[in-house]
Amino acid sequence: MTDTPSAATPLSAPSPLRAVPVGDLAREDAANELAVLADEIAGHDRRYYQDDAPTVSDGEYDRLRRRYEDIEARFPELKDAESLSERVGAAVVSKFAKITHQVPMLSLANAFSDAEVEEFVERVKRFLDLGPDDTVTFTAEPKIDGLSCSLRYESGRLVSAATRGDGQVGEDVTANVRTIGEIPDRLAGADVPDVIDVRGEVYMGAQDFLALNARQTEAGKPEFANPRNAAAGSLRQLDSNITASRPLRFFAYAWGEASSRPAETQHGMVDAFARWRLPTNPLTVLCRSAADLLAHYRMIGERRATLGYDIDGVVYKVDSLELQRRLGFISRSPRWAIAHKFPAEQAVTELLDIDIQVGRTGALTPVAKLAPITVGGVVVSNASLHNEDYIQGIGGDGEPIRGGIDIRIGDFLTIQRAGDVIPQVVNVVLDRRPAHAAPYAFPHTCPACGSHAVREENESVRRCTGGLVCPAQAVERIRHFVSRNAFDIEGLGDENVQLLFDAGLVRTPADIFRLQDHGEELRKAFFAQREQRAREREAETGRARKTVRSEDQRQFLGVEKLLAAIDERRDVTFPRFLFALGVRHVGEATAKALAKRYLSLDALLETLEAAVPGRPGEAWLRLLGIAGVGQTRAEGLVAAIATETIPTATEAGADPETTLRMVFDRAKLNSRQRVALRTVYGADADILAALAAAHQQMPRPEFRDLAGVPDVGEVAASSLCEFYAEDRNRALLDALRAEVRVAAQAAPTASGSPVAGKTVVFTGSLERMTREEAKAMAERLGAKVAGSVSAKTHLVVAGPGAGSKLEKAQALGVEVITEDQWLERVGEHV
Ligand code: IVH
C-alpha cells in the first residue's frame, strides 16, 4: 500500500482516534471496540484488495490495525481463531478456489466468568419460556484451538472440504483434507445421510507441533508460532504433498447442510459421527445446570496442560436440536451455544536483564530476559519489550500504558502467554520493585558494533548507524537476502546463517555463492554445530547419546544439498535481486516497479550513476521542511540566489540585508515565510549561505526521473542513491554480479508469456478485475479470448457462479483455474 491513495480516490475523514487509552479500557468496552474495529478493518481490506478502491490512507489504516492489536495484546482472552491479527487480507486474496457454504459457518459468543455462564443458562430458559425449576440439558466439550473445516459427504463419500473463510465462502482445501489420515474418505453406517456437511476443527497435537518446528529449523525454515498457525499453514498449502507430510488431526463437533439427521440431540449427532468413524472429542459430557457446566469447565481446565493439544475454553451447547431450532441465532452466533474462554495464563517473574537485538535495518529491539518460569506448561525466559517507549510506559499512540509505569531491571513482571509462544509483559508488580532498581537507560550506541544509534523524529525505533560494519545488521541482511521472497535459498535458515557468519564463511551475500570453494570448512562448521546441540541436549536430559551415527556421512549430504540449493539460485529475476539487497524503503513493490521501468540491472545502475550526484542534500531538504515554504517557494528562492545579478553574501562588499531582500522579493515570499526562514537560519548572512547550499544540493533532473517512477518516489529514490553512493555497496554489487545472473525483465509484450497463442475463456464472476480488463490482459499476453468452450479451448478461468461453461470444460478435460491462479500464472508478465 502506498501512503497516498490516487487523487481520484475520495478519502473519508479519518475515524476519530478512540478516546480511551487502551490501558484504561474495561474489558467489556474492549470487546465491543474489537468487534467494531474488526468490521471497519475488514471493510477496508475488502475495498483495498477486492475493489481496488481504498477509502483511507495507509497511515489511517495502520492506526486502526495498531489499535486493534494493542487491545488484543491487552486482553488476549478476547482473541479467537477469527482474529484479524491472524490474517492479513488473506480471507479475500486467496490462492484457493472458493466454496460457498450451503449453511453458513457461524462463530460463537464468548463468556469469561462464572456469572456470564449463569446468565447464558438463564437467557436460554427465559427465551424458551421455562420456569426456574425446569431443566435444560447442555453438552460441554473442549474448545479446540485449531481451524474449523467443513467436510461434505455425498452418498457417504468425501466430495469436498472447505475452510471457514468469512463464514459464507471458504477455501477449497479438498485435496489437502484427503491427506489427513483421521478423516475417512467414506462414512460407514446405515444412517449416513445422502448429503451431510460435517464440521469440526483441524488441529495439530503438541508433540507433533514441536517435532514439526524442529524439522523446520533443521531445514532452515521459519518456525511456526503455535500449533494453530502450524495447522492453518499446513492445511492452506497449494501442494498437498506438503500437507500430507504434516501431522494434522480432526475433531467433528457440528454440521451444516444435512439431508437427514441420525439423531435429535447434539450429543446424539456427535455419537453418530463417532459411529461413522469420524474422530470426536472424548471429553464431551451432558450437563443439566450452570453448576454442572462450571464443574466440567474446571475439570477440563485442570487437565488442559496434559491433553496433548491446545484448547482455549469449553463450548456449551443446548442438547435438544428442537430447542436449538427454537432458540435460533443473534447476528452471526447461535443463541443456543457459548464459548467459555480460559483466562490468559499469567505468571510473575523477575526481569534479569534487557537484551538489545539489532535488526537488518539497524533497529534496536529490547528483549526481556526473565528468570525462567512455567506459564501454562511452557517454560518462558524471554518476552518482547517492543521499543524504548514501551519500557518507559508509553504506548504507540503516545498514551501511557500500564498506568505510565516504566520497566526496570530487577522488577517483577506479570507476564502472560495467550496461545502464542511469544509471551507478553502485562504489568509491573510495583510492590516488589527493589529499592536500588534504576530507570532503564536505553543504549544510544549499538551493542553489536558500537556505532551511534539514533532515533528519528516521530519514530519509536532507535537505529544503529553502523550499516555494513555492524555484524548484527550484516547477519540480518544475509538472512533477508536468502529469505523466501528474495533469493529463496533452501537450507539457509536463521540459525545456519548465524553459523556461517560466525565461522567467517559468509560475511556478505556474495560469499554465499563462493561457499563451494570451502566445502571442508563448511562440513566442519556443521559438524561442530551438531556436536554442540547434542551436548546441550545431553545436559538438558541428563542422558548420553545412544549411538554415534556416521556424522561425516550426514554432514556430507547436508553440505551437498545446501551447495546444490545455492547453485539453483544463480539465476535470479531482476525484482528479486533488487529486493534481496535490502535497501531501506525498497520493498517488493518498489523493486517490481523499478524492474518494470528499467528492465535490466545495467540500465538501473546507469540511472543510479547519473542520479547519485543529483540527489537532494541535507541543505535542500531542510529548506523544503520549513513550515510554509513549499516546493515552489523553495525553488524560487534557490533560483533567485543563483541569479548572477544578485551579489552573494560572501562577495566582498555585498550587503547581506539588501541581497536577502532582493532574493525574498524575487521569490515572492510573504512576511510569514520570511519570518520562518529567519527563525530557522538566523542572521541575514546565514540565510543567504543556507540558500546557496540548498541550491547546490537540490535534486537534479536525473534524480527526479528516478523518483518519478510510479511506486518509487523521493524517499525510496534517495535511499537507493545513498546505497549506491557507498563504495562498499558498489563493491557488493560487483561481487554479486560475478556470481549470479540477473535476468532482464521482459518488456511487456506477448513474447514469452505463458498464455501466448492459447485460447482462453473467462466464466463466472471475476472478483479482482473486470471482464474487460481480463480480456485486455489476456490479449496483451498474446492469448485469444473466446466466448464459449470447445475442444479448442486451452484454458478456462472460472469465478464463483460459473455454470455450463465450467461443466463443459470439465467434461472436455480442459484445464480450469481460478482467477487468483490466473493472476499468479501471468503475474510476472503483466
Ligand atoms: S461449535 C454454530 N464446538 O470455535 C457453532 N466450535 O469461536 C459452531 N471451535 O469457528 C461451532 N472447538 O472453529 C464448536 N467444540 C467446538 C469447538 C468450536 C473449537 C471453534 C470453531 C468456531 C470457533 C468459534
Side-chain angles (χ1 to χ4, degrees), residues 80-82 105-110 141-149 164 200-201 253-254 312 315 317 329 334 336-337 339:
D80 64 16
E82 275 94 50
M105 289 183 81
L106 302 166
S107 56
L108 295 170
N110 292 325
E141 66 200 69
K143 184 171 189 298
I144 318 296
D145 203 3
L147 70 155
S148 47
C149 198
R164 180 177 183 279
E201 204 82 352
Y253 52 64
D312 57 347
V315 181
K317 297 171 186 165
F329 304 89
W336 44 265

Side-chain angles (χ1 to χ4, degrees), residues 202-251:
V202 172
Y203 68 99
M204 191 178 287
Q207 289 300 329
D208 289 335
F209 165 70
L210 293 176
L212 171 63
N213 264 354
R215 288 203 300 277
Q216 290 283 109
T217 311
E218 193 94 339
K221 294 186 181 152
E223 291 194 349
F224 291 99
N226 54 43
R228 172 160 44 81
N229 286 1
S234 304
L235 191 63
R236 298 183 70 256
Q237 286 288 339
L238 281 180
D239 178 356
S240 49
N241 289 318
I242 299 183
T243 313
S245 73
R246 305 276 175 82
L248 292 176
R249 308 193 59 186
F250 184 74
F251 278 129

Side-chain angles (χ1 to χ4, degrees), residues 710-786:
D711 270 341
V712 176
E714 204 155 305
V715 176
S718 296
S719 183
L720 258 177
C721 286
E722 245 168 65
F723 175 86
Y724 190 73
E726 289 244 14
D727 289 344
R728 52 188 172 201
N729 288 335
R730 280 202 306 276
L732 167 81
L733 281 171
D734 287 343
L736 271 176
R737 298 181 77 194
E739 300 295 341
V740 305
R741 286 170 296 270
V742 185
Q745 186 84 345
T749 64
S751 66
S753 128
V755 292
K758 301 231 161 111
T759 303
V760 181
V761 173
F762 291 94
T763 180
S765 53
L766 299 178
E767 297 178 328
R768 296 175 60 185
M769 50 192 174
T770 64
R771 213 27 102 75
E772 286 67 40
E773 282 166 350
K775 186 163 186 274
M777 183 192 292
E779 285 172 353
R780 219 169 36 242
L781 294 169
K784 185 170 161 248
V785 178

Side-chain angles (χ1 to χ4, degrees), residues 145-217:
D145 203 3
L147 70 155
S148 47
C149 198
S150 190
L151 315 176
R152 190 167 183 86
Y153 286 91
E154 289 177 5
S155 311
R157 281 171 177 273
L158 177 67
V159 292
S160 66
T163 61
R164 180 177 183 279
D166 62 4
Q168 309 284 335
V169 179
E171 291 172 329
D172 183 343
V173 287
T174 315
N176 294 345
V177 161
R178 286 193 200 282
T179 70
I180 302 178
E182 279 191 349
I183 294 181
D185 231 5
R186 266 167 185 272
L187 299 182
D191 53 353
V192 175
D194 278 348
V195 174
I196 183 160
D197 291 327
V198 176
R199 290 179 176 170
E201 204 82 352
V202 172
Y203 68 99
M204 191 178 287
Q207 289 300 329
D208 289 335
F209 165 70
L210 293 176
L212 171 63
N213 264 354
R215 288 203 300 277
Q216 290 283 109
T217 311

Side-chain angles (χ1 to χ4, degrees), residues 395-409:
D397 46 9
E399 298 288 340
I401 46 172
R402 303 184 300 271
I405 294 171
D406 67 327
I407 293 174
R408 303 180 181 188
I409 294 172

